[in-house]
Amino acid sequence: MPARVLAVALSVLCVAATQPASADNRFGGRDVIVAVLDTGLNPLHQEFDYRGPSSDDDQIVAWWDFTEAKGAKRNPAPGRLWDDRAPDPFDDNGHGTATASLAAGRNAAPFAVKEPSFAPGTQLAIGKVGNKGGSISGDAAAAVRWAVDTVKADVINMSFGHSYPFPSVWDDTDEALAYARRAGVTVVVANGNGFGNAGGPGAPGWASPNSTSDVISVGASDVFGVITHTDPEVVAKFFGVKAAGHNCNACYAGATGTSFSAPLVAGMAAKLIDTALAAGRPSTPQAVETLLKWSARDTLYPPSMEGYGVLDAASFAPAVQHAAAGTLPSSPNPVNALYVEQVANGLREHWSTTLDGGARHRIHPAGIAADTPEGVIGTSLPAGLAEAERHEFALAPGSTVTIDVGYGPGDPTLKDVQDIDFYVYSGNAESFTAEDLVVKSANEAGEAEKMSFTTTEGGTYTLVVVGWMIVADQPYTLSSSVAMQPSLDAMYVVVSDQGLVG
């Protein structure tokens, strides 16, 4: 399965150290701020109003590079709005420029060239957490807290996902998102490309830790959404979304992915907040989320594919009127509402609350032998949730290890669905990040897994055997050129795309 990469289809359509004063915000005024946490921004693009790092009255009110692009990674000190080491925002990938233009671009080009933002010209805070190659190398949790505490953002857009094979911590992102919600910030995330992941069944959109119950999860409204995401709360335009390019100041490109659905909804949220504030009405994240959900247009797709429904210009226009009046549309389709609130959000709650937290929430699935390298990986329910067995072993520096995981497919007709992969990590922690990954084997479903690697450092290593989409018991045997000590705990795990979800 691909990891830490952009899942974006771009096609060029046309080519063409001081700190600013603090802006008004949700605590002190009516200027709404959208924080875009992504790969950065080309601030000189015509979609944005940027007058340099010393300006205090342009569109870009805060900027920080959380990555290693300009040297060692560092997080801002409390109260720091502007990065003095990289005084001008930059984007060495392009994903961030595109998402920012969709959230709050000035709509400098006509509709035929650029998808209109629903909150054109809204103030932007840019946190660069993704690097040139699409890796999420910055501290996403720190970026969220910076957007909440220092920037005082009203809306945060996160068009990325991440993965790890144990449900515990990854920069404490879940906790930071819950903190943002409590602080009154509306967070919008891309639901993810789910079963569209290449090389394996992948993971459903709700299995991304940033799709917790504290955010608005946005999926794809187009027909392609049938195979690219699961269980969103709302959906927005997904295919061929025209956005600002980062390579020149008048470039635009067509982009495909839920990465570009999310910022459209983030712009909608910003517009609703601005409208409510102008009318002297309160605008809590729950109120914004409810208004967006109830305003979504129901279509013929089942709620597992569209949530409450589609958010587009036609469905959004009445929402602005409701924001000004402090009212809500008529009750939505009860089937859609019931599904999202009790099923889809139940899955998110299961991920973000039940599985998060490490040892307190370990689950030992029935049928997995935890004391021998032979066992059975049982059925994985709900669909997409993976089960795993972990084994630990000690290696000296320069050791060459061959690991062979063999298994017997159950029903031959199901082999294209069932899959077993393995991941080797350095250390024996309860959770691992991408930096801990040594090697992985992720062959196609129905194929055995075998991999060799040579260590550079001695110490303990952990092998994780993962069963994907297992709908019939899968016996497996594990052989290695080194002795392995099976762990006493087996867990449910989820491995989803790492990096920007596109």
Side-chain angles (χ1 to χ4, degrees), residues 346-490:
L347 294 171
R348 288 186 186 85
E349 190 66 25
H350 180 66
W351 171 260
S352 61
T353 301
T354 307
L355 292 182
D356 193 21
R360 292 184 298 107
H361 302 293
R362 287 178 182 164
I363 301 173
H364 188 168
I368 295 183
D371 57 355
T372 173
E374 296 182 358
V376 174
I377 293 185
T379 57
S380 302
L381 295 172
L385 197 64
E387 295 173 328
E389 171 83 64
R390 56 181 276 164
H391 301 265
E392 298 171 6
F393 50 102
L395 296 175
S399 300
T400 298
V401 181
T402 299
I403 300 175
D404 190 353
V405 179
Y407 66 98
D411 184 341
T413 63
L414 301 175
K415 70 177 184 178
D416 291 333
V417 176
Q418 299 180 120
D419 191 13
I420 294 179
D421 300 329
F422 73 77
Y423 298 74
V424 175
Y425 294 88
S426 59
N428 60 351
E430 291 175 352
S431 63
F432 299 96
T433 65
E435 286 71 24
D436 301 315
L437 181 64
V438 177
V439 67
K440 71 176 181 178
S441 177
N443 290 334
E444 296 296 328
E447 298 179 3
E449 308 290 345
K450 185 175 183 178
M451 182 69 74
S452 295
F453 67 97
T454 301
T455 62
T456 56
E457 299 179 357
T460 301
Y461 289 77
T462 300
L463 168 70
V464 182
V465 183
V466 181
W468 293 102
M469 296 285 288
I470 305 300
V471 295
D473 285 353
Q474 292 290 292
Y476 71 86
T477 58
L478 172 63
S479 62
S480 172
S481 57
V482 300
M484 295 190 179
Q485 175 61 48
S487 70
L488 297 178
D489 295 290

Side-chain angles (χ1 to χ4, degrees), residues 120-147:
T122 296
Q123 291 181 324
L124 282 166
I126 305 298
K128 180 175 171 60
V129 296
N131 62 24
K132 184 176 182 179
S135 299
I136 304 302
S137 60
D139 189 334
V144 170
R145 291 182 178 275
W146 171 75

Side-chain angles (χ1 to χ4, degrees), residues 322-360:
H322 284 290
T327 57
L328 285 173
S330 58
S331 298
N333 182 317
V335 174
N336 288 17
L338 183 67
Y339 184 89
V340 171
E341 303 308 328
Q342 294 193 12
V343 180
N345 283 343
L347 294 171
R348 288 186 186 85
E349 190 66 25
H350 180 66
W351 171 260
S352 61
T353 301
T354 307
L355 292 182
D356 193 21
R360 292 184 298 107

Side-chain angles (χ1 to χ4, degrees), residues 232-399:
E233 293 181 277
V234 292
V235 293
K237 189 171 182 178
F238 159 83
F239 183 74
V241 182
K242 307 176 190 72
H246 73 299
N247 288 324
C248 75
N249 299 336
C251 295
Y252 293 86
T256 294
T258 57
S259 280
F260 312 105
S261 307
L264 291 173
V265 174
M268 293 180 182
K271 179 63 176 178
L272 293 180
I273 293 170
D274 183 61
T275 301
L277 291 175
R281 302 185 183 283
S283 185
T284 65
Q286 184 58 55
V288 173
E289 181 175 332
T290 300
L291 182 51
L292 285 170
K293 288 177 177 178
W294 287 29
S295 299
R297 175 170 49 85
D298 184 23
T299 72
L300 297 179
Y301 284 116
S304 61
M305 298 298 175
E306 70 168 12
Y308 274 83
V310 177
L311 285 171
D312 54 15
S315 59
F316 179 66
V320 176
Q321 298 176 357
H322 284 290
T327 57
L328 285 173
S330 58
S331 298
N333 182 317
V335 174
N336 288 17
L338 183 67
Y339 184 89
V340 171
E341 303 308 328
Q342 294 193 12
V343 180
N345 283 343
L347 294 171
R348 288 186 186 85
E349 190 66 25
H350 180 66
W351 171 260
S352 61
T353 301
T354 307
L355 292 182
D356 193 21
R360 292 184 298 107
H361 302 293
R362 287 178 182 164
I363 301 173
H364 188 168
I368 295 183
D371 57 355
T372 173
E374 296 182 358
V376 174
I377 293 185
T379 57
S380 302
L381 295 172
L385 197 64
E387 295 173 328
E389 171 83 64
R390 56 181 276 164
H391 301 265
E392 298 171 6
F393 50 102
L395 296 175
S399 300

